[in-house]
Amino acid sequence: MKKLILLLAICLTLSCKKDLDKKLSSKNWRVESVTVSPAMTSGNKTSTNYLELMGPQSCAATTILTFSDKGIFTSGSNGALCDLFYDPNSKPVTWTREGEQIIISSSPQSPFTLKGNKLTRTTTTTSAGGTVYTFEYVYKAQ
């Protein structure tokens, strides 16, 4: 009986992993919001809503993420000049999943978290003036 329960537990674990991977790779993920802390100033506006500061047609506001079932990760935007720095000789960026954490090979220190139909990611950057900004990105499955 113990062997049967162990076998069922292993099968359930493996099927859940495949289901989550399929959920991730079967959809495109569009940016829904980006919150910056502390508030940032752009032009004459100061806000914690980074997408509002950048505008609805900006690269930040049109970002779409794709996770292929073969482990390749892509991120793109359709704003003017968004993908200007594409390097055709660069290695593909890959993704792996550990539980709810999605790790991207190009930035393993800032994993995504998958919960329901939302992906979230937190990153930090330091401005030239020394201010440390924290960005929380939220993506929604399409």
Side-chain angles (χ1 to χ4, degrees), residues 11-125:
C11 289
L12 181 61
T13 301
L14 292 176
S15 70
C16 288
K17 179 180 179 350
K18 287 184 181 185
D19 288 346
L20 285 175
D21 287 354
K22 186 174 181 173
K23 177 181 182 176
L24 188 65
S25 64
S26 68
K27 301 179 186 306
N28 287 327
W29 299 82
R30 183 173 178 89
V31 68
E32 182 176 71
S33 67
V34 181
T35 305
V36 60
S37 177
M40 185 178 269
T41 301
S42 178
N44 61 357
K45 269 187 177 175
T46 300
S47 179
T48 58
N49 182 339
Y50 187 71
L51 297 182
E52 178 182 278
L53 288 173
M54 297 297 106
Q57 300 304 313
S58 68
C59 299
T62 60
T63 301
I64 294 178
L65 309 178
T66 304
F67 299 84
S68 84
D69 58 359
K70 303 212 184 311
I72 304 298
F73 169 78
T74 56
S75 172
S77 300
N78 63 5
L81 307 175
C82 291
D83 295 326
L84 183 64
F85 299 105
Y86 173 71
D87 178 3
N89 297 318
S90 64
K91 289 183 179 181
V93 177
T94 59
W95 67 274
T96 56
R97 190 176 60 74
E98 294 178 14
E100 293 179 338
Q101 299 292 303
I102 314 302
I103 296 133
I104 306 302
S105 62
S106 61
S107 56
Q109 72 283 2
S110 301
F112 289 92
T113 301
L114 174 63
K115 289 188 180 180
N117 282 331
K118 304 269 179 145
L119 275 172
T120 60
R121 183 182 203 185
T122 302
T123 64
T124 59
T125 189

